Amino acid sequence: MAIAVGWFTALKDVDDGLVIDKNYDGNWGHSLHGIVGSMIIPLLAILLLIVSFFAKVDGGVKWALYVFGLVALQIAFAFAAFAAPVIGALHGANALALLAVAGIAARRAAGAPATAAAPSTEATA
């Protein structure tokens, strides 16, 4: 969301006459995306991993490691994309994978079933 705000703001600013060149540092949306992605999300992933060792969740450490690994990969893709912008597509795709894996981990920790139970075919009296 923050990166979308950042780039739509930049596009509006260009329409208003701003020239974006190598000296452009971005706007508040770019800054928010950078702060959340480089500090807050990694901190949460580390905390999740630490907590997973003490939680009594089947497979909790495994899923926390998946989340942590995808966060590390996300950061690697972000830095690599500055040298090879096409890697930015992997950064975006990995964000969706991270969202899915974190959602699965949360459902498992909450004890929610992975799939909905099939409706009963038995008649109730």
Side-chain angles (χ1 to χ4, degrees):
M1 185 172 72
I3 198 64
V5 168
W7 281 111
F8 282 111
T9 300
L11 291 172
K12 181 197 172 298
D13 291 346
V14 167
D15 283 345
D16 292 343
L18 175 72
V19 175
I20 295 179
D21 61 10
K22 66 181 179 177
N23 298 316
Y24 181 68
D25 290 329
N27 55 47
W28 69 269
H30 296 116
S31 296
L32 181 62
H33 179 77
I35 291 167
V36 169
S38 65
M39 292 186 224
I40 295 172
I41 298 296
L43 178 62
L44 291 174
I46 290 169
L47 290 173
L48 173 65
L49 185 58
I50 292 168
V51 168
S52 74
F53 287 105
F54 302 102
K56 304 293 185 209
V57 176
D58 287 336
V61 173
K62 173 182 74 170
W63 285 97
L65 282 169
Y66 290 159
V67 169
F68 183 80
L70 287 172
V71 169
L73 187 60
Q74 186 72 349
I75 293 168
F77 283 153
F79 284 109
F82 286 106
V86 72
I87 294 175
L90 296 175
H91 180 73
N94 189 66
L96 297 175
L98 177 56
L99 176 66
V101 170
I104 292 168
R107 285 179 55 96
R108 293 180 65 87
T115 58
S120 176
T121 57
E122 296 178 24
T124 56

